[in-house]
Amino acid sequence: MNAPQNLFATVPKRSARAPVAPFLPMSRAEMEKLGWDECDVILVTGDAYIDHPSFGMALVGRLLEAQGFRVGIISQPDWQSADAFRALGKPRLYFGITAGNMDSMVNRYTSDRKIRSDDAYTPNGEPNKRPDRAVSVYAHRAREAFPGTPVIIGSIEASLRRIAHYDYWSDKVRKSVLIDSKADLLIFGNAERALVDLTHRMAKGEDIKAIKDLRGTAFLVPQGWLPSEEWGVHNSTRVDVPGRIDAHPDPYAMAKEDKEACATENAAPEPTVKPIRIMTREERQAMAKEKHNRTVVRLPSYDTVSTDPVMYAHASRVFHLESNPGNARAMVQQHGDRDVWINPPPLPLAMDEMDGVYDMNYARAPHPAYGNARIPAWEMIRFSVNIMRGCFGGCTFCSITEHEGRIIQSRSEPSILREIEHIRDKTKGFTGTISDLGGPTANMYRLACKEKTIEESCRRLSCVYPSICSNLGTDHSKLIQLYRKARAIPGVKKILISSGLRYDLAVRSPEYVKELVTHHVGGLLKIAPEHTETNVLSKMMKPGIGAYDEFKAMFEKFSIEAGKKQYLIPYFIAAHPGTSDEDMLNLALWLKKNNFRLDQVQTFMPTPMAMATTMYHSRKNPLKKVTGDSEVVETPRTAKVRKAHKAFLRYYDPANWPILRETLKAMGRGDLIGNGEKHLIPAWTPGEENMTAAPEGKRAMPTLAPGAQRGARPGQPAGGRAPAPRGGRPNALTGSMTARETVETKARPSILDTIKVKPKTAAKPAQSTTKGRR
């Protein structure tokens, strides 16, 4: 594997050949204004082109521009023909293909496989501006436009489909996207370093077919190909099939002398005698590491995993265990007469490299070609700042870890503060409020393993589950300092934190919780318990109710001290693998007990490569060793059951009462249907056929959440408006519009006896009895 170097080590001096343009060109006319006769690289994206580092094509385009290359953008092309792919002419080096910031299938379909009515990454939210499986469609059209031009695929869609994967929308295991797209190379994960190295090598005349040593890349090779004779293969399958076995000679057998054989032996050269070498411990370790780095793990073939769910789960487990850049080996998977070769993941960017990526000359606005059109995704993030990448939570339903890695990559404080000043000075419509300082998670900024050597050797699937690792640093002081300096910038009136919060980490730092609650909550703070049942949470790799209660107590205490009325807004997942009807009922009763009326709820969507998706497809638990007799994970799969599970989260909605009555009766829990305080849903009442509840006074109403008023939207305190999830940013990695967290409870058959009509009095923060963390 190539030795890493600083991402910007090869940046040339700016010349007239590559001027800095306000926007990368999207037309021949814009190219002519820049004096270009051709582009070196043409990037094709399924999103509108917004020149901002939160949008992948802008970040990649500006990075290559900084390296001296001419980069053009083809945004949301008409894929019905190749004409749109000829708009900028033939690229000198290659086409770079991406579906956009979101997987195209997640972008276009709901968890019920229904077409979405809008697209947040399209002008005016217009739907149907990208095809299904956009990466493959765009790649084929690019080849049709200019045969022989190299095609490189990347982004979230390609990254999560680099091996054989279960596809929820077709309900089958599909081949690697390399097979479907016929691309020359796939770049996955944080692709900056690989992309820069690749582009420079191709510019020097190196054939893309010969570039096979870049971390974070995957490609097709002939079956059985190895980089050199020094490489070995390790079989990942459960059964080790031995080769031919030679019988051992009997030392007591009397054999006749064979003079011919003796003559032959005498004529043979003397055997080579290798001296015994005494090696130091360091030399042995270096040799073992060298052997490790030259070993490829062979996953079960596509033909095997597509027909054997147990082997699919096994392959998924092995794949995730080989995800730490410090010790991951290359992997290979047979697809017919060819192999998909996957190099180890990219090494994380250093802080100065992260700064360089985000400090480039972005216009921080949509391309002028869109005029006054409103692009929802831009409206959501225009006043937010991404301060870090990666997530060590390892939540099974989320693909952030698979795409961005477990090692947190943070920007420096000066870089972040500069971006806030850029927003203040350059972003149209700024009124003084920064909507978010975050990332995949709000409070993992600069958190890392205490020892680099431990980090590089670790093979845990999560740093915080089933408990927070003793080697993980949880000091929030750097983040607190950043918040304080950001608030002090002239012209900044308020800084909100909207990214999903890891409350299990936050409770380790009461000073951070106080800082957050006192200065950075705009009345509502989203928090994601995800569920209440231990068996479900164990399939999510999530913490329990103890951490949630501890954080809630801190939140309320510091809100009172600050003289503010502030509320937690919870998020939950329905129909997650391992969830039974009883689990969802207990969650609904917990919600009623705590006076929660959820507005935004999410049904589990199986996305490629996520471990929860493996559970959904295989009904096996890849968090443990997988065998034919290992744990079975029953999963809600039918539309009716999934609908009922979602209905439990909105038990108060009259539209859900018919299916909940049917489900409760089938469970033998008809005792929960009625108009009393201890009933979950009412019996049929007049007016329900119009989806309206009975007049007040005709039946008992659940107590409203503290601070709520009649007429307010469910789950919304009076005078407040529920914030857009995750800083208003759609989460492309989980396929949802929410961030994720969790809880647990000891309640199993029923918690009716614990329901109290009167609100609980404030209690002192309790020590968490669970250590499961996101």
Side-chain angles (χ1 to χ4, degrees), residues 5-130:
Q5 63 175 358
N6 188 284
L7 183 62
F8 295 93
T10 58
V11 174
K13 294 182 179 179
R14 181 62 58 185
S15 66
R17 183 179 184 279
V20 176
F23 290 88
L24 299 172
M26 289 209 306
S27 68
R28 296 289 289 187
E30 293 174 76
M31 288 174 59
E32 290 172 2
K33 286 184 179 179
L34 295 171
W36 295 4
D37 55 351
E38 66 177 357
C39 293
D40 296 318
V41 176
I42 295 178
L43 304 176
V44 182
T45 176
D47 294 340
Y49 170 36
I50 300 172
D51 200 63
H52 186 279
S54 290
F55 297 85
M57 282 301 93
L59 188 151
V60 168
R62 291 300 189 185
L63 177 64
L64 293 177
E65 179 193 53
Q67 299 286 327
F69 297 105
R70 297 173 173 178
V71 183
I73 301 282
I74 296 178
S75 170
Q76 297 189 315
D78 178 1
W79 67 91
Q80 303 300 331
S81 75
D83 292 343
F85 295 78
R86 299 187 181 102
L88 302 181
K90 181 179 179 179
R92 185 173 68 91
L93 298 177
Y94 61 82
F95 275 108
I97 306 293
T98 168
N101 270 24
M102 289 183 71
D103 182 284
S104 62
M105 301 303 288
V106 174
N107 180 284
R108 297 199 68 228
Y109 296 91
T110 69
S111 58
D112 296 325
R113 298 189 178 99
K114 296 179 180 178
I115 292 282
R116 296 187 190 273
S117 58
D118 57 8
D119 182 342
Y121 292 89
T122 301
N124 296 319
E126 192 175 344
N128 303 317
K129 287 295 183 180
R130 74 187 78 212

Side-chain angles (χ1 to χ4, degrees), residues 498-738:
S498 303
S499 293
L501 186 77
R502 282 300 306 211
Y503 55 81
D504 50 352
L505 289 172
V507 296
R508 293 286 186 99
S509 176
E511 184 185 5
Y512 170 75
V513 178
K514 182 175 183 178
E515 190 79 15
L516 174 76
V517 171
T518 304
H519 300 285
H520 302 286
V521 177
L524 306 174
L525 179 68
K526 67 178 183 186
I527 205 78
E530 301 301 3
H531 217 283
T532 56
E533 303 307 289
T534 306
N535 60 301
V536 181
L537 297 174
S538 69
K539 304 303 184 295
M540 296 177 170
M541 289 211 300
K542 303 304 253 177
I545 195 66
Y548 172 83
D549 287 340
E550 188 175 357
F551 179 81
K552 183 174 181 289
M554 285 188 181
F555 180 88
E556 292 173 347
K557 174 179 180 289
F558 293 132
S559 292
I560 292 172
E561 290 180 2
K564 296 181 177 182
K565 291 184 178 180
Q566 301 182 141
Y567 307 94
L568 294 176
I569 302 296
Y571 290 84
F572 297 88
I573 299 179
H576 190 277
T579 307
S580 66
D581 293 346
E582 182 187 45
D583 293 327
M584 292 308 300
L585 170 59
N586 283 338
L587 172 53
L589 294 171
W590 184 90
L591 291 171
K592 183 177 179 181
K593 170 192 170 184
N594 289 278
N595 302 313
F596 281 131
R597 290 189 170 193
L598 306 181
D599 184 20
Q600 294 179 337
V601 298
Q602 176 70 25
T603 304
F604 170 71
M605 179 188 288
T607 52
M609 205 176 287
M611 298 194 83
T613 301
T614 298
M615 298 178 198
Y616 178 91
H617 168 62
S618 69
R619 293 180 171 86
K620 289 293 183 179
N621 185 0
L623 302 179
K624 302 175 182 178
K625 184 177 180 179
V626 179
T627 68
D629 299 326
S630 62
E631 179 187 3
V632 175
V633 180
E634 292 300 338
T635 301
R637 295 177 65 91
T638 67
K640 184 176 181 180
V641 173
R642 286 166 64 86
K643 183 179 180 181
H645 282 205
K646 186 175 181 180
F648 272 117
L649 294 180
R650 292 171 59 87
Y651 64 89
Y652 61 87
D653 187 345
N656 292 325
W657 293 343
I659 191 171
L660 287 179
R661 290 192 192 108
E662 181 182 350
T663 303
L664 288 172
K665 289 176 182 177
M667 294 172 63
R669 298 309 307 270
D671 58 302
L672 295 176
I673 303 172
N675 298 333
E677 291 285 353
K678 292 189 175 182
H679 293 114
L680 180 65
I681 57 172
W684 186 88
T685 54
E688 186 181 321
E689 61 273 13
N690 297 319
M691 299 306 175
T692 58
E696 195 169 337
K698 296 293 185 181
R699 63 181 181 84
M701 294 292 291
T703 307
L704 294 175
Q709 63 181 10
R710 302 203 182 279
R713 193 170 67 182
Q716 173 184 338
R721 183 177 180 183
R726 200 176 175 276
R729 197 176 319 176
N731 190 338
L733 307 178
T734 63
S736 74
M737 295 289 289
T738 67

